[in-house]
Amino acid sequence: MAHEHPGHRAPDDHPHPHGHHHGPGHHDHGDMDWAGMAPLLEAQAELFAPLYGQAMAWLAGQVPAPGLVVDVGSGPGVVACQFANAFPGARVVAVDGAAPLLERARDRAARLGVAGRLDTLAGDLPEVLGELGRPADLMWAGQSVHHLGDQRAALASLAGHLAPGGTLAVLEGGLPARFLPRDIGIGRPGLEARLRAAEEDTFAGMRAGLAGSVAEAEDWPAMLTAAGLRHTGTRSFLLDLPAPLDEGARAYAVASLSRLRDGLADVLDAGDRETLDRLLDPEDEASLHRRPDVCVLLAHTVYAAARPVG
């Protein structure tokens, strides 16, 4: 799924208070109100459904009929349920460290008629994967690996739970979301570029503060190869929602910039804080709530690698 840290890119199935963000249980999420955050996480993941659908269609070309699909860091199960629909012959296991989110996953599976094929597993990653009971044919790690201190060791652990010929798909990186033109008519032009630069620093600090953190060049194909897998492909998938946005997409833009405003308040200059406050004020004509030029444009990159047979 995707959880969030203050200030990191815009997320997916989780709001790392960065919108990116991942599965609870990877670092200290003990004070997170996951039940309260679940509706936002679900709305974000639903907005990203077209992007995930493209990724699943691509993966189906590599793993056409998986028996077991595991969503590592599943959050409230939006993507896990989408996997159940994309692979109707598969059993899907949603794995996360936040039990309240997995309860939402079970409820969603029941509503969508896939409860008979979706299981949940609660616990810290990656250790809890030892409880799967059988190896996975397809394992999806959507913005969850970057929440683990030793990413190389984490990939090796995930790889160890693949069946021979099974595929690990890691969603990390890509291009952060853009919501506005460079010059929005208020404040200094280039606001979003400055926000993204600041959140990169915040993300680096988050990584450095994780338990057992190991600095690692983010060459995902090389790390997957070091984990004993064979890199089978890399593709980026676009979410392109041009202006004017519908209510759900506009709410996502508002929520994302609100998290950035909260997470980066201490590092932004007064002018940019003032501009963000205006953008988030529903009464301001220049706000995200009212302006006609708000869009959602981003890309997520997926790296796929297979466990050798024999």
Side-chain angles (χ1 to χ4, degrees):
M1 77 184 189
H3 297 312
E4 288 210 11
H5 318 291
H8 198 55
R9 326 165 193 188
D12 309 3
D13 200 353
H14 327 324
H16 302 214
H18 98 170
H20 269 357
H21 335 236
H22 230 249
H26 313 326
H27 48 107
D28 184 10
H29 286 304
D31 58 347
M32 297 291 273
D33 176 13
W34 292 112
M37 189 175 289
L40 175 62
L41 295 178
E42 290 172 346
Q44 290 177 351
E46 289 164 356
L47 188 71
F48 281 58
L51 183 155
Y52 293 131
Q54 295 171 47
M56 290 174 195
W58 177 62
L59 291 170
Q62 302 184 46
V63 192
L68 177 64
V69 177
V70 177
D71 183 354
V72 178
S74 64
V78 178
V79 177
C81 287
Q82 194 170 347
F83 269 112
N85 286 321
F87 297 99
R91 174 163 292 279
V92 178
V93 179
V95 185
D96 205 275
L101 296 184
L102 292 178
E103 183 177 350
R104 301 285 291 229
R106 291 189 291 272
D107 290 346
R108 172 175 289 268
R111 291 197 305 273
L112 297 179
V114 297
R117 294 191 294 111
L118 187 137
D119 298 321
T120 60
L121 180 59
D124 287 349
L125 292 168
E127 295 81 7
V128 72
L129 295 176
E131 300 178 25
L132 282 173
R134 58 180 281 203
D137 302 297
L138 175 60
M139 184 174 289
W140 170 265
Q143 295 179 326
S144 53
V145 176
H146 73 243
H147 286 274
L148 300 170
D150 189 338
Q151 296 176 112
R152 184 178 290 253
L155 291 175
S157 180
L158 298 183
H161 296 286
L162 288 176
T167 287
L168 172 60
V170 176
L171 187 160
E172 290 287 352
L175 297 174
R178 292 298 300 258
F179 303 115
L180 294 162
R182 182 191 65 88
D183 191 335
I184 58 176
I186 60 173
R188 183 159 58 102
L191 172 67
E192 283 193 282
R194 293 189 296 279
L195 292 177
R196 298 310 178 186
E199 75 171 346
E200 289 295 341
D201 289 339
T202 299
F203 183 72
M206 180 282 295
R207 283 279 320 145
L210 293 176
S213 179
V214 176
E216 188 77 56
E218 293 176 355
D219 183 342
W220 294 99
M223 285 194 282
L224 288 164
T225 299
L229 303 179
R230 177 176 58 87
H231 177 232
T232 54
T234 298
R235 269 195 65 180
S236 294
F237 302 94
L238 191 68
L239 183 66
D240 181 10
L241 305 177
L245 294 180
D246 63 23
E247 182 179 342
R250 189 179 292 269
Y252 168 69
V254 171
S256 296
L257 284 187
S258 294
R259 284 194 301 274
L260 287 173
R261 171 66 175 85
D262 293 343
L264 302 175
D266 293 341
V267 297
L268 298 176
D269 66 33
D272 283 346
R273 287 197 301 272
E274 180 181 350
T275 301
L276 275 173
D277 288 343
R278 290 194 61 187
L279 285 171
L280 297 170
D281 180 0
E283 302 304 318
D284 196 312
E285 288 295 331
S287 75
L288 293 171
H289 302 270
R290 300 188 177 209
R291 56 189 309 132
D293 57 356
V294 184
C295 67
V296 178
L297 178 63
L298 58 82
H300 281 342
T301 300
V302 179
Y303 303 88
R307 180 175 177 177
V309 177

